[in-house]
Amino acid sequence: MSYIILEATRNVELVRDVSVRLGRDSPPAFIDMASELIIRGGGIPFLFNDDCFIPALTEHGIALQDARNYSPIGCIELTIPGRASPHAVSGEFCSTKCLELALFDGKEPRSGVQVGPHTGAFATFTTFEDFYSAYLRQVEFFARRMVYHCNRGELAQREGGPLPCLSILTDDCISRGRDITDGGAVYNYHSICFIGTATTADALAAVKKFVFEEKSLSAEELLDALQHNFANHAPLRQKLLKQAPKYGNDIPEVDTIAARVAGDFIKLMDQMSSPLNGRYFVHLFSFIWHLDFGKGVGATPDGRRAGDPLAYSLAAQQGAMSRGITALLSSISRLPHRHAAGATAAIVEIDPVLVSGANGKDLMSQLITTAIAMGVGQLQWNVVTAERLVKAQEDPERYGNIPVRVAGYSQMFKLVNKDLQDHIIARTKHRT
């Protein structure tokens, strides 16, 4: 049946979310068929790694037999069909904003308003761990408030929006005599999108290197540059951009920080619960909100300017990759996919020249097989040139009818808004 679905997708040229579950023992012929579709463009199908997500689900209370039957819904969110009330994307959490507030003792630097807790003046921190602890305190402060509002939403739906039809179709609502909104399902959990992983990691790595290790940058100079969006600080910005380690380049120093940032949030959410005693799972996934949240985050120590997009999901910050696609996959593999019960996500952009010719399908299949073996949880692929997308943007009537992977879904490029189009064009298209 899986082969038939992929064949039908190819034959009718559907632009829809088609997901494929893979593992270390997946048949090479099936991976080859998926590769053929991916090379055609449009980001279909997208891939889920059973070797990551089944353990992540069982770790979070899902019985093994049910975890083996998981299914993606929406974009990349995971559910147990017919047995769960998943509250997918119950909340969105921006890690990079918490980093910014830790730098400024909980104060929003552009407005001057104290929005977070006082966690200490940046200049008083003597070690990187001191600063990272301040960041974690900001994270916990806002995470608990987010969970409070998620729980209010659960209570409001339970009291004002029962779902009898869905309840009839969901185990064990009938046997328990309870609606799916009132604890009838076998599993009840919330899932939270964690946004800004790579941007936050790059910023922390720069602070660690220049402020605390080399001591080549003072706290005062860094904060002044960030507050003024690097105006009159061009050399410093170039130093932060080019001399600090960047996630996505197979550099363990910064990849480890990214894994720590994501892992610490997962551990924090493991402490939370809902009114129905449901757990909080984490999506390492940003959807399109990395653009919206980026507009609300000032300049960051990785050299990013105020208002620029944050990194998409677990992909690298746009423009930060310089070592090719295998280096990117290596960085992604170091993230805690086996603990993210809500799933993870990354879009990998490929120039068609990389997978063209007689050996193109074999190379694509090798990349997929390697990523699965390395422990990458989820992958989406765009095979397109930036030049082709620019033509589509400039003349949508003639060239805009090209499907692309946007952010957990595929869409015709001409139907995507200008901000997203610019972001997709700017994402690195790997040729090596």
Side-chain angles (χ1 to χ4, degrees):
M1 180 61 72
S2 296
Y3 290 91
I4 292 172
I5 291 171
L6 289 187
E7 182 180 4
T9 301
R10 179 189 63 200
N11 291 344
V12 301
E13 299 186 353
L14 282 173
V15 184
R16 289 292 181 268
D17 285 350
V18 178
S19 58
V20 167
R21 287 177 45 177
L22 299 175
R24 289 176 181 267
D25 298 325
S26 294
F30 185 61
I31 296 175
D32 285 345
M33 194 170 189
S35 295
E36 290 179 4
L37 278 172
I38 290 169
I39 291 171
R40 188 185 66 173
I44 298 170
F46 48 113
L47 314 175
F48 291 78
N49 188 345
D50 285 358
D51 300 332
C52 293
F53 295 136
I54 292 174
L57 288 165
T58 57
E59 179 182 83
H60 287 81
I62 307 299
L64 178 59
Q65 64 269 25
D66 289 331
R68 287 172 173 162
N69 196 38
Y70 80 85
S71 178
I73 56 175
C75 297
I76 56 87
E77 304 86 350
L78 303 184
T79 193
I80 309 303
R83 292 176 68 78
S85 177
H87 298 90
V89 193
S90 185
E92 306 90 44
F93 192 90
C94 182
S95 63
T96 315
K97 189 64 182 180
C98 292
L99 172 74
E100 180 182 39
L101 293 173
L103 285 164
F104 291 94
D105 192 23
K107 184 178 292 186
E108 215 295 324
R110 290 176 288 185
S111 68
V113 176
Q114 188 77 32
V115 295
H118 289 286
T119 48
F122 182 53
T124 66
F125 299 134
T126 57
T127 68
F128 174 74
E129 291 303 321
D130 290 339
F131 174 58
Y132 189 77
S133 294
Y135 159 74
L136 286 181
R137 291 197 296 275
Q138 296 290 343
V139 169
E140 182 171 359
F141 177 86
F142 287 102
R144 291 192 179 280
R145 280 149 182 78
M146 175 191 64
V147 168
Y148 168 77
H149 287 288
C150 292
N151 288 346
R152 285 188 63 189
E154 180 181 301
L155 290 171
Q157 184 177 27
R158 183 174 70 179
E159 297 189 8
L163 301 169
C165 291
L166 184 57
S167 298
I168 291 171
L169 300 172
T170 303
D171 301 339
D172 286 333
C173 293
I174 293 177
S175 61
R176 293 178 179 179
R178 303 180 74 174
D179 190 82
I180 191 174
T181 65
D182 190 33
V186 176
Y187 304 110
N188 182 72
Y189 54 86
H190 290 254
S191 299
I192 303 298
C193 286
F194 186 65
I195 299 167
T197 301
T199 312
T200 300
D202 288 350
L204 285 168
V207 168
K208 182 180 181 184
K209 177 178 181 177
F210 296 129
V211 177
F212 294 108
E213 293 180 347
E214 295 182 0
K215 301 187 186 301
S216 60
L217 175 61
S218 71
E220 293 78 10
E221 183 182 0
L222 177 60
L223 295 185
D224 183 69
L226 298 180
Q227 281 187 298
H228 294 92
N229 200 20
F230 295 110
N232 301 317
H233 290 279
L236 172 58
R237 180 169 183 262
Q238 291 304 309
K239 176 180 179 177
L240 296 171
L241 286 170
K242 297 179 179 180
Q243 296 180 31
K246 295 289 190 289
Y247 170 85
N249 294 290
D250 192 15
I251 303 173
E253 177 185 358
V254 64
D255 296 348
T256 300
I257 293 175
R260 184 181 182 185
V261 165
D264 284 341
F265 187 75
I266 292 172
K267 292 174 185 176
L268 178 62
M269 288 297 101
D270 284 344
Q271 301 172 26
M272 308 296 178
S273 62
S274 76
L276 293 171
N277 203 33
R279 299 188 65 169
Y280 273 81
F281 296 177
V282 174
H283 309 294
L284 298 179
F285 170 58
S286 66
F287 187 50
I288 60 175
W289 296 310
H290 57 295
L291 276 72
D292 296 329
F293 278 107
K295 293 174 182 177
V297 177
T300 44
D302 58 330
R304 172 190 152 277
R305 293 190 186 276
D308 283 354
L310 306 177
Y312 170 77
S313 296
L314 294 185
Q317 184 72 23
Q318 60 187 55
M321 292 171 287
S322 61
R323 297 187 179 181
I325 190 171
T326 54
L328 172 62
L329 293 176
S330 183
S331 290
I332 295 173
S333 73
R334 293 191 174 104
L335 276 293
H337 304 271
R338 288 175 175 264
H339 303 289
T344 63
I347 294 179
V348 179
E349 308 276 345
I350 297 179
D351 189 300
V353 71
L354 182 63
V355 289
S356 63
N359 297 323
K361 181 184 70 176
D362 290 341
L363 177 58
M364 188 76 244
S365 294
Q366 289 170 14
L367 288 171
I368 292 170
T369 302
T370 299
I372 295 297
M374 292 169 69
V376 174
Q378 197 270 356
L379 282 172
Q380 306 161 61
W381 307 82
N382 258 336
V383 182
V384 67
T385 65
E387 292 77 14
R388 175 69 177 83
L389 296 178
V390 170
K391 288 178 66 176
Q393 188 179 58
E394 293 175 345
D395 190 350
E397 293 306 313
R398 295 179 62 189
Y399 300 108
N401 201 35
I402 177 174
V404 294
R405 197 71 185 167
V406 180
Y409 66 97
S410 294
Q411 182 58 280
M412 291 298 177
F413 192 72
K414 67 181 181 181
L415 301 179
V416 177
N417 69 53
K418 178 66 162 50
D419 284 349
L420 271 172
Q421 286 184 348
D422 290 343
H423 177 67
I424 295 168
I425 291 170
R427 295 193 304 220
T428 302
K429 311 295 186 282
H430 292 280
R431 298 175 64 93
T432 59

